[in-house]
């Protein structure tokens, strides 16, 4: 079997520092907006990793983005974080199926999770596999990463996930009495890409 063009999701761990979590917990209510679907809270600051409190976390995430791009994708080009925001999910909150626009790489870093606080779920695009798509429902011998329509990852404190921005994903309901906190981010190309007539210069 030649597994051509796999969808790669990087998972790594960055130990949570109390100053990062305390920053999000101690933000006043007027620093958060209720999400459009009335299913969670997002910080009004969409460059939250630029705050001094998160300087070291931003460097750790940037290191992992470079690891993902260069070691796994084998791409030379450089990426930079162009947006980042805090997410707070109270009991009963969830995240609808979506993907991230105006970015190429996205990710999420979990600062506070509890049992049943909401797994992240990745959804297969119908063109990821010409046979196993949404048009037919096969009788599976067993479900695995090749044939599944959705793939769940249970978050834990300190978990970092990095994935292509065009991948649809969602978040299950938080059934825990405790709020769940994470930081989401987007990254885009920087510098030059291509050469000669195909060269594009990005700031």
């Amino acid at each position: 079997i030649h597994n051509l063009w796999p969808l790669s999701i990087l998972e790594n761990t960055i130990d949570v520092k109390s100053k990062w979590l305390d920053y999000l917990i101690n933000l006043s209510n007027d620093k958060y907006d209720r999400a459009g679907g009335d299913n969670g809270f997002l910080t009004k600051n969409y460059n939250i990793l630029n705050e001094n409190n998160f300087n070291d976390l931003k460097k750790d995430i940037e290191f992992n983005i470079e690891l993902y791009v260069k070691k796994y994708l084998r791409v030379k080009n450089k990426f930079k974080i162009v947006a980042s925001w805090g997410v707070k999910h109270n009991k009963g909150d969830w995240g609808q199926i979506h993907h991230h626009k105006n970015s190429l790489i996205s990710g999420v870093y979990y600062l506070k999770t509890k049992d049943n606080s909401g797994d992240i779920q990745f959804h297969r695009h119908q063109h990821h596999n010409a046979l196993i798509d949404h048009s037919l429902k096969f009788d599976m011998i067993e479900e695995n990463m090749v044939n599944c329509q959705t793939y769940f990852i249970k978050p834990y404190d300190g978990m970092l996930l990095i994935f292509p921005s065009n991948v649809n994903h969602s978040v299950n309901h938080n059934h825990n009495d405790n709020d769940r906190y994470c930081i989401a981010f987007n990254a885009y190309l920087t510098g030059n890409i291509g050469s000669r007539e195909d060269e594009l210069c990005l700031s």
Side-chain angles (χ1 to χ4, degrees), residues 13-25:
T13 303
I14 300 173
D15 291 336
V16 177
K17 294 185 178 180
S18 58
K19 66 175 182 177
W20 304 336
L21 178 57
D22 291 344
Y23 184 94
L24 292 182
I25 290 176

PDB file of all heavy atoms in Angstrom, residues 13-25:
ATOM      1  N   THR A  13       3.626  18.471  22.896  1.00  0.00           N
ATOM      2  CA  THR A  13       3.278  18.940  24.236  1.00  0.00           C
ATOM      3  C   THR A  13       4.164  20.110  24.635  1.00  0.00           C
ATOM      4  O   THR A  13       5.387  20.049  24.467  1.00  0.00           O
ATOM      5  CB  THR A  13       3.433  17.815  25.268  1.00  0.00           C
ATOM      6  OG1 THR A  13       2.619  16.699  24.883  1.00  0.00           O
ATOM      7  CG2 THR A  13       3.004  18.286  26.655  1.00  0.00           C
ATOM      8  N   ILE A  14       3.541  21.165  25.124  1.00  0.00           N
ATOM      9  CA  ILE A  14       4.236  22.306  25.723  1.00  0.00           C
ATOM     10  C   ILE A  14       3.683  22.455  27.139  1.00  0.00           C
ATOM     11  O   ILE A  14       2.477  22.658  27.319  1.00  0.00           O
ATOM     12  CB  ILE A  14       3.997  23.603  24.930  1.00  0.00           C
ATOM     13  CG1 ILE A  14       4.496  23.465  23.483  1.00  0.00           C
ATOM     14  CG2 ILE A  14       4.674  24.786  25.622  1.00  0.00           C
ATOM     15  CD1 ILE A  14       4.134  24.646  22.589  1.00  0.00           C
ATOM     16  N   ASP A  15       4.536  22.305  28.113  1.00  0.00           N
ATOM     17  CA  ASP A  15       4.079  22.397  29.499  1.00  0.00           C
ATOM     18  C   ASP A  15       3.418  23.744  29.762  1.00  0.00           C
ATOM     19  O   ASP A  15       3.963  24.804  29.397  1.00  0.00           O
ATOM     20  CB  ASP A  15       5.244  22.197  30.465  1.00  0.00           C
ATOM     21  CG  ASP A  15       5.775  20.764  30.446  1.00  0.00           C
ATOM     22  OD1 ASP A  15       5.011  19.859  30.063  1.00  0.00           O
ATOM     23  OD2 ASP A  15       6.950  20.568  30.807  1.00  0.00           O
ATOM     24  N   VAL A  16       2.240  23.710  30.386  1.00  0.00           N
ATOM     25  CA  VAL A  16       1.472  24.929  30.636  1.00  0.00           C
ATOM     26  C   VAL A  16       2.112  25.724  31.762  1.00  0.00           C
ATOM     27  O   VAL A  16       2.439  25.177  32.829  1.00  0.00           O
ATOM     28  CB  VAL A  16       0.018  24.582  31.005  1.00  0.00           C
ATOM     29  CG1 VAL A  16      -0.761  25.851  31.334  1.00  0.00           C
ATOM     30  CG2 VAL A  16      -0.662  23.819  29.865  1.00  0.00           C
ATOM     31  N   LYS A  17       2.293  27.014  31.532  1.00  0.00           N
ATOM     32  CA  LYS A  17       2.754  27.926  32.576  1.00  0.00           C
ATOM     33  C   LYS A  17       1.546  28.648  33.166  1.00  0.00           C
ATOM     34  O   LYS A  17       0.635  29.049  32.429  1.00  0.00           O
ATOM     35  CB  LYS A  17       3.759  28.928  32.021  1.00  0.00           C
ATOM     36  CG  LYS A  17       5.065  28.291  31.575  1.00  0.00           C
ATOM     37  CD  LYS A  17       6.090  29.331  31.147  1.00  0.00           C
ATOM     38  CE  LYS A  17       7.405  28.663  30.754  1.00  0.00           C
ATOM     39  NZ  LYS A  17       8.424  29.656  30.327  1.00  0.00           N
ATOM     40  N   SER A  18       1.573  28.806  34.476  1.00  0.00           N
ATOM     41  CA  SER A  18       0.417  29.396  35.161  1.00  0.00           C
ATOM     42  C   SER A  18       0.114  30.793  34.657  1.00  0.00           C
ATOM     43  O   SER A  18      -1.053  31.201  34.601  1.00  0.00           O
ATOM     44  CB  SER A  18       0.654  29.410  36.671  1.00  0.00           C
ATOM     45  OG  SER A  18       1.825  30.131  36.994  1.00  0.00           O
ATOM     46  N   LYS A  19       1.124  31.547  34.242  1.00  0.00           N
ATOM     47  CA  LYS A  19       0.885  32.920  33.781  1.00  0.00           C
ATOM     48  C   LYS A  19       0.046  32.947  32.509  1.00  0.00           C
ATOM     49  O   LYS A  19      -0.705  33.896  32.285  1.00  0.00           O
ATOM     50  CB  LYS A  19       2.201  33.663  33.576  1.00  0.00           C
ATOM     51  CG  LYS A  19       3.073  33.127  32.445  1.00  0.00           C
ATOM     52  CD  LYS A  19       4.312  34.003  32.241  1.00  0.00           C
ATOM     53  CE  LYS A  19       5.160  33.511  31.073  1.00  0.00           C
ATOM     54  NZ  LYS A  19       6.321  34.402  30.840  1.00  0.00           N
ATOM     55  N   TRP A  20       0.172  31.901  31.674  1.00  0.00           N
ATOM     56  CA  TRP A  20      -0.637  31.857  30.449  1.00  0.00           C
ATOM     57  C   TRP A  20      -2.102  31.614  30.775  1.00  0.00           C
ATOM     58  O   TRP A  20      -2.979  32.326  30.283  1.00  0.00           O
ATOM     59  CB  TRP A  20      -0.148  30.759  29.509  1.00  0.00           C
ATOM     60  CG  TRP A  20       1.282  30.837  29.116  1.00  0.00           C
ATOM     61  CD1 TRP A  20       2.068  31.963  29.102  1.00  0.00           C
ATOM     62  CD2 TRP A  20       2.118  29.753  28.682  1.00  0.00           C
ATOM     63  NE1 TRP A  20       3.331  31.655  28.683  1.00  0.00           N
ATOM     64  CE2 TRP A  20       3.405  30.302  28.409  1.00  0.00           C
ATOM     65  CE3 TRP A  20       1.914  28.406  28.487  1.00  0.00           C
ATOM     66  CZ2 TRP A  20       4.456  29.532  27.957  1.00  0.00           C
ATOM     67  CZ3 TRP A  20       2.959  27.617  28.031  1.00  0.00           C
ATOM     68  CH2 TRP A  20       4.215  28.176  27.767  1.00  0.00           C
ATOM     69  N   LEU A  21      -2.341  30.618  31.610  1.00  0.00           N
ATOM     70  CA  LEU A  21      -3.716  30.289  31.966  1.00  0.00           C
ATOM     71  C   LEU A  21      -4.342  31.401  32.793  1.00  0.00           C
ATOM     72  O   LEU A  21      -5.498  31.781  32.549  1.00  0.00           O
ATOM     73  CB  LEU A  21      -3.752  28.966  32.734  1.00  0.00           C
ATOM     74  CG  LEU A  21      -5.130  28.499  33.216  1.00  0.00           C
ATOM     75  CD1 LEU A  21      -6.103  28.363  32.061  1.00  0.00           C
ATOM     76  CD2 LEU A  21      -4.996  27.174  33.980  1.00  0.00           C
ATOM     77  N   ASP A  22      -3.603  31.942  33.752  1.00  0.00           N
ATOM     78  CA  ASP A  22      -4.139  33.011  34.600  1.00  0.00           C
ATOM     79  C   ASP A  22      -4.544  34.219  33.767  1.00  0.00           C
ATOM     80  O   ASP A  22      -5.534  34.885  34.063  1.00  0.00           O
ATOM     81  CB  ASP A  22      -3.109  33.435  35.654  1.00  0.00           C
ATOM     82  CG  ASP A  22      -2.871  32.367  36.711  1.00  0.00           C
ATOM     83  OD1 ASP A  22      -3.711  31.439  36.807  1.00  0.00           O
ATOM     84  OD2 ASP A  22      -1.858  32.455  37.420  1.00  0.00           O
ATOM     85  N   TYR A  23      -3.777  34.491  32.708  1.00  0.00           N
ATOM     86  CA  TYR A  23      -4.091  35.631  31.854  1.00  0.00           C
ATOM     87  C   TYR A  23      -5.488  35.481  31.256  1.00  0.00           C
ATOM     88  O   TYR A  23      -6.293  36.416  31.288  1.00  0.00           O
ATOM     89  CB  TYR A  23      -3.052  35.761  30.745  1.00  0.00           C
ATOM     90  CG  TYR A  23      -3.242  36.971  29.857  1.00  0.00           C
ATOM     91  CD1 TYR A  23      -2.568  38.158  30.111  1.00  0.00           C
ATOM     92  CD2 TYR A  23      -4.093  36.922  28.750  1.00  0.00           C
ATOM     93  CE1 TYR A  23      -2.734  39.268  29.295  1.00  0.00           C
ATOM     94  CE2 TYR A  23      -4.268  38.028  27.939  1.00  0.00           C
ATOM     95  CZ  TYR A  23      -3.585  39.194  28.210  1.00  0.00           C
ATOM     96  OH  TYR A  23      -3.768  40.296  27.399  1.00  0.00           O
ATOM     97  N   LEU A  24      -5.792  34.301  30.725  1.00  0.00           N
ATOM     98  CA  LEU A  24      -7.098  34.082  30.098  1.00  0.00           C
ATOM     99  C   LEU A  24      -8.215  34.036  31.132  1.00  0.00           C
ATOM    100  O   LEU A  24      -9.308  34.576  30.914  1.00  0.00           O
ATOM    101  CB  LEU A  24      -7.082  32.786  29.291  1.00  0.00           C
ATOM    102  CG  LEU A  24      -6.212  32.769  28.031  1.00  0.00           C
ATOM    103  CD1 LEU A  24      -6.334  31.430  27.326  1.00  0.00           C
ATOM    104  CD2 LEU A  24      -6.568  33.905  27.088  1.00  0.00           C
ATOM    105  N   ILE A  25      -7.939  33.387  32.270  1.00  0.00           N
ATOM    106  CA  ILE A  25      -8.970  33.274  33.305  1.00  0.00           C
ATOM    107  C   ILE A  25      -9.315  34.641  33.884  1.00  0.00           C
ATOM    108  O   ILE A  25     -10.490  34.936  34.170  1.00  0.00           O
ATOM    109  CB  ILE A  25      -8.498  32.318  34.427  1.00  0.00           C
ATOM    110  CG1 ILE A  25      -8.463  30.875  33.901  1.00  0.00           C
ATOM    111  CG2 ILE A  25      -9.410  32.406  35.651  1.00  0.00           C
ATOM    112  CD1 ILE A  25      -7.920  29.874  34.904  1.00  0.00           C
TER     113      ILE A  25
END
